[in-house]
Amino acid sequence: MGTTSQASLPHHNELENNLNFRQIVNNIGGTFWLLSADLNEILYISPNYKQLFGIQQLTDLPPQEALDSIIHPDDREYIAQKFNSFLHTGKFTEEFRIIRPDGEIRWISSSAFHVYDDQNQLIRHAGLIHDITESKVKDQKLRFQTQLQELLTKISNTYINLPADRLHETLKESVHDLGEFVGADRFYIYEYRPDEELFYNTYEWCNEGIDSLMKSMQGIAPTDMDRWMMEHRRIDFYIVEDVAALRDNDALKTMLLAQGVKSMILVPLIDHGQYTGFMGIDAVRTTKQFGEEEKQLLKIFAQTVVSAWQRIRSEEALAKALENANESDRLKSAFLATISHELRTPLNHILGFGALIRDHSSEKHIKEFAADLCTSGNGLLGMIEDMFALALAEKSAMIVRTSQVKGVELYMACKELLTEMLHSSGKNELIKLHFKPDHALMTTTLITDRQKIQQVLTNLFNNAVKFTPSGTIEFGIARTRDSLKMYVSDTGIGIPADQQQHIFDLFRQLDDGINRHYGGLGIGLSMSKKLAEVLGGRLSVESEPGKGSCFYFTVPVQFI
């Protein structure tokens, strides 16, 4: 970094003999230097320059040329500009890289200032250099880890709730982002198809000037598939830091050299023990040592890829299953009718014997056990009936079967149904029933689908009894010019306004607490709304929490 050795430097002996000067220089830390005012001579430099610059003696180059020769090429122009500015301002404080003769890159912090005599004339330049490589590397590592965590968080957030139809495009974007982040020459994901025993280059990103292998690396079969897959299953990473160092007869070496690859790292993609492919990084321009950060990044992203592929396959399987389900709709309906009968037959026997024991046993604890059996059995029977009805409702069309019905018969059947439900619930002493029939309806005959009307009312009665701890339940039925209007009101728990539309959705009740306390599948109101719509009618609700609910059921009919 100078022109001559210390022995022949002007003023050197004077400086060396100055005890105070030597004590100061030796204790300030770093490497201290003095340049002549014209920058052509090094007047002094601390002896530790040898350790800093990795040299045994100064060169014969002028100081500025010597400095330029060791500055990293990427920093050289910037530092030259700053040093030229220093000549005018007298201020210089910069951090930059130098390259030692052995090729090692070091970070230094350099500061400089002008030195003036008593007449304010510039007599020399002085400065101090510190080796900051260790702290710089720590800062860079910390910055890299912070950026790595941000990137991984971004990727994780991206794939949460991402629609399946966007997974392929998003994986391409992630491969691009990760490839750029780690400074790869090539970043790729290969899918293994076990039915073909072949690998396919599915996603790939290449740095500028690097050839893509996307087209050429399709349908690839390793020469020793069993060994290849066994290697991948038993290790987390497959690393080749120097392809040239592989055995000459190694098929992998031949393939990688043909692709210009100098270093490589692969991560196997394992899905529940099944080998599904691999992802990796190629270094093409120079050999590369892969750090722990890159390994961590690849390992986490590999899990993301496996999860994404699981979703893609699940969506494809679901679409296929839906197609098959549509084709087998007729068989499903027949099966459900059969299984419903087979479940109800033994259950009815159980309920019958349970009722006999409950009503005729003289042992109190046996009567209580039998009553519990009947209660649970009736609940199970109700769910079986609901599931069967739901399955039938999901068919492409529900057939409306009309017949002549006397108004009084329809009313009496509904009255008996509600009365029996209340009796079976054991709430006779807690709930009072009120019936409000339209007297004009009692002498009228109408044409409608009686079974579906009663099915809707059965669900409404059941909910009224279930969700009314005590109070009253009222059922009203009346005729208009061309429709039948019914309502079921109660003084039960009520429904919040923001949930009144949702209760007609499939498998929905008020909340988890209600589900746990009252049970049920949450399909009764959904079924009732479908049945009302099939009949050309309407089902609605008015409710207030703590005061009760009123369901209105209107259906068009023909009066005769």
Side-chain angles (χ1 to χ4, degrees):
M1 187 176 157
T3 56
T4 61
S5 66
Q6 290 186 5
S8 60
L9 288 174
H11 313 296
H12 175 263
N13 291 333
E14 176 186 346
L15 291 170
E16 282 291 333
N17 292 329
N18 188 318
L19 181 60
N20 291 334
F21 175 80
R22 290 201 308 273
Q23 288 179 344
I24 293 173
V25 168
N26 291 336
N27 287 279
I28 60 175
T31 301
F32 180 78
W33 55 265
L34 286 172
L35 290 181
S36 61
D38 60 8
L39 303 175
N40 289 326
E41 293 181 284
I42 297 178
L43 304 178
Y44 176 81
I45 187 168
S46 301
N48 61 10
Y49 77 87
K50 297 179 180 180
Q51 290 77 30
L52 176 64
F53 298 117
I55 57 178
Q56 294 302 313
Q57 61 181 11
L58 299 175
T59 71
D60 293 330
L61 294 173
Q64 281 188 284
E65 291 185 30
L67 181 62
D68 287 343
S69 68
I70 64 173
I71 295 178
H72 193 285
D74 293 343
D75 300 339
R76 193 170 293 155
E77 182 178 352
Y78 173 78
I79 294 302
Q81 293 174 354
K82 290 297 181 179
F83 194 79
N84 288 334
S85 176
F86 158 71
L87 298 178
H88 301 287
T89 64
K91 297 178 181 179
F92 182 89
T93 302
E94 298 294 336
E95 295 178 355
F96 54 95
R97 291 164 293 178
I98 61 171
I99 303 178
R100 302 190 346 165
D102 59 3
E104 182 184 3
I105 297 175
R106 308 291 294 181
W107 275 93
I108 63 173
S109 172
S110 178
S111 59
F113 55 92
H114 297 326
V115 180
Y116 298 91
D117 60 15
D118 295 339
Q119 284 75 42
N120 203 31
Q121 296 294 315
L122 178 67
I123 58 173
R124 58 180 63 99
H125 308 281
L128 189 64
I129 301 173
H130 286 97
D131 187 336
I132 60 170
T133 303
E134 185 175 346
S135 62
K136 202 73 175 178
V137 169
K138 287 181 179 179
D139 289 344
Q140 289 177 335
K141 187 174 182 179
L142 179 60
R143 191 180 305 113
F144 180 85
Q145 289 176 339
T146 301
Q147 293 172 346
L148 174 63
Q149 292 301 323
E150 291 174 352
L151 180 60
L152 292 175
T153 301
K154 174 188 173 184
I155 290 174
S156 299
N157 291 337
T158 298
Y159 286 90
I160 294 175
N161 298 324
L162 182 72
D165 58 357
R166 290 196 55 220
L167 283 172
H168 281 299
E169 190 62 33
T170 305
L171 281 172
K172 290 181 182 179
E173 295 172 1
S174 296
V175 166
H176 173 273
D177 292 343
L178 292 174
E180 283 191 334
F181 179 78
V182 300
D185 288 328
R186 189 183 292 117
F187 195 110
Y188 46 81
I189 301 176
Y190 279 67
E191 179 186 7
Y192 173 64
R193 300 179 186 174
D195 54 334
E196 304 175 36
E197 294 189 350
L198 297 175
F199 287 91
Y200 289 84
N201 188 342
T202 312
Y203 306 97
E204 182 187 76
W205 172 83
C206 294
N207 212 329
E208 186 176 355
I210 303 299
D211 294 334
S212 171
L213 303 178
M214 193 75 175
K215 292 183 179 180
S216 61
M217 298 300 287
Q218 299 293 334
I220 303 302
T223 54
D224 190 348
M225 176 66 71
D226 292 337
R227 183 183 68 84
W228 174 271
M229 293 178 63
M230 187 178 299
E231 283 275 339
H232 275 209
R233 280 195 179 97
R234 70 180 181 83
I235 60 175
D236 291 332
F237 302 97
Y238 189 90
I239 301 175
V240 180
E241 292 189 344
D242 187 357
V243 173
L246 294 174
R247 299 190 311 272
D248 290 337
N249 62 348
D250 193 323
L252 180 62
K253 178 179 182 178
T254 302
M255 181 180 70
L256 293 178
L257 287 178
Q259 298 170 359
V261 178
K262 292 183 170 59
S263 300
M264 173 191 73
I265 179 172
L266 302 181
V267 180
L269 302 175
I270 307 296
D271 182 3
H272 294 91
Q274 298 297 315
Y275 181 78
T276 60
F278 62 88
M279 62 187 301
I281 295 174
D282 285 349
V284 177
R285 294 184 174 92
T286 61
T287 58
K288 179 178 177 64
Q289 289 186 339
F290 300 97
E292 290 301 319
E293 293 83 1
E294 289 156 319
K295 293 179 182 179
Q296 178 190 7
L297 178 63
L298 286 175
K299 191 171 184 178
I300 294 176
F301 186 55
Q303 296 169 353
T304 302
V305 171
V306 169
S307 298
W309 281 358
Q310 286 175 346
R311 286 188 59 194
I312 292 172
R313 295 188 184 104
S314 296
E315 291 287 339
E316 292 173 348
L318 184 61
K320 183 65 176 177
L322 181 60
E323 180 183 348
N324 294 336
N326 290 334
E327 293 176 356
S328 62
D329 185 62
R330 181 185 60 82
L331 295 175
K332 178 198 72 173
S333 298
F335 169 76
L336 286 172
T338 302
I339 200 66
S340 176
H341 171 75
E342 294 300 325
L343 287 173
R344 283 181 289 186
T345 300
L347 187 55
N348 283 330
H349 290 162
I350 294 171
L351 291 173
F353 281 112
L356 283 174
I357 297 172
R358 178 194 62 194
D359 296 337
H360 299 287
S361 175
S362 59
E363 299 288 340
K364 181 180 178 181
H365 68 283
I366 293 179
K367 290 173 69 71
E368 291 175 351
F369 291 153
D372 289 342
L373 183 148
C374 290
T375 300
S376 299
N378 281 316
L380 179 59
L381 181 61
M383 285 190 281
I384 292 172
E385 296 288 356
D386 285 346
M387 287 189 292
F388 181 57
L390 176 64
L392 295 179
E394 290 299 323
K395 295 169 63 176
S396 58
M398 294 179 67
I399 301 173
V400 177
R401 294 182 174 87
T402 60
S403 61
Q404 290 187 11
V405 184
K406 291 182 179 181
V408 65
E409 291 178 357
L410 178 61
Y411 165 69
M412 291 304 297
C414 294
K415 181 178 180 181
E416 291 174 7
L417 178 61
L418 177 54
T419 303
E420 176 59 29
M421 281 187 177
L422 181 60
H423 174 74
S424 300
S425 70
K427 297 180 179 180
N428 301 63
E429 302 299 325
L430 301 173
I431 298 175
K432 299 297 181 182
L433 298 180
H434 298 292
F435 298 95
K436 298 292 182 67
D438 179 7
H439 295 292
L441 180 64
M442 298 301 100
T443 58
T444 303
T445 299
L446 56 146
I447 298 177
T448 187
D449 189 329
R450 173 176 175 172
Q451 181 183 4
K452 288 183 174 58
I453 289 177
Q454 287 188 246
Q455 190 173 349
V456 172
L457 291 173
T458 297
N459 290 329
L460 297 182
F461 292 160
N462 180 64
N463 280 352
V465 173
K466 181 192 296 186
F467 295 109
T468 304
S470 62
T472 61
I473 296 175
E474 184 174 304
F475 168 60
I477 183 169
R479 63 164 293 179
T480 64
R481 187 172 61 87
D482 56 0
S483 65
L484 195 62
K485 288 191 173 183
M486 296 152 280
Y487 69 88
V488 180
S489 66
D490 62 62
T491 58
I493 61 175
I495 307 167
D498 60 346
Q499 296 189 37
Q500 290 178 16
Q501 290 301 317
H502 297 304
I503 62 172
F504 293 107
D505 295 340
L506 199 57
F507 305 119
R508 290 291 294 272
Q509 289 190 346
L510 295 187
D511 56 35
D512 291 338
I514 297 300
N515 278 328
R516 289 193 295 268
H517 184 71
Y518 291 97
L521 297 178
I523 64 177
L525 288 177
S526 176
M527 276 294 308
S528 297
K529 191 172 181 65
K530 287 183 180 180
L531 289 169
E533 292 171 351
V534 167
L535 292 171
R538 182 172 179 269
L539 181 63
S540 61
V541 63
E542 292 179 358
S543 183
E544 186 175 347
K547 293 186 178 182
S549 305
C550 185
F551 286 85
Y552 298 94
F553 175 34
T554 303
V555 59
V557 298
Q558 180 182 351
F559 293 102
I560 57 176

